[in-house]
Amino acid sequence: MASFNRVILMGHLVKDPELKYSQSGQAIAKFSLAINNGKGKDGKDREPDFFDIESWDKTAELASEYLKKGSGVLVEGRLKQD
């Protein structure tokens, strides 16, 4: 049986992306994404959800160059539970 693992998240960066390189020279950018959950029935803001994002290669370099704390982004990828 085939499996399907695809997520699309939209939110804002909690801090600037952190760019590092693996021993083999691959670029890796890590950043956290905050997703606002709107208001509850009581009218108060719900707690946001936070997701740790990891991008690789050219995408990592572009994320590091163009994204900053507070940037609004849409991320598409796969979910990995650590």
Side-chain angles (χ1 to χ4, degrees):
M1 176 187 281
S3 62
F4 186 74
N5 183 356
R6 181 179 177 204
V7 295
I8 300 172
L9 302 170
M10 186 171 65
H12 292 86
L13 268 65
V14 175
K15 61 181 182 177
D16 291 351
E18 182 180 319
L19 181 65
K20 293 185 178 182
Y21 290 89
S22 69
Q23 290 182 352
S24 64
Q26 283 186 297
I28 305 166
K30 295 182 179 182
F31 54 92
S32 290
L33 193 65
I35 298 176
N36 186 349
N37 286 315
K39 298 192 181 291
K41 291 181 182 179
D42 59 1
K44 294 183 181 178
D45 287 337
R46 294 182 184 155
E47 289 291 318
D49 290 322
F50 295 93
F51 293 89
D52 294 328
I53 309 295
E54 190 174 280
S55 61
W56 290 75
D57 299 322
K58 188 66 176 174
T59 304
E61 292 172 344
L62 291 170
S64 176
E65 183 176 350
Y66 292 106
L67 300 180
K68 302 294 178 215
K69 178 180 178 179
S71 295
V73 296
L74 183 124
V75 176
E76 179 180 348
R78 65 182 182 89
L79 187 61
K80 179 182 173 187
Q81 185 176 0
D82 289 334

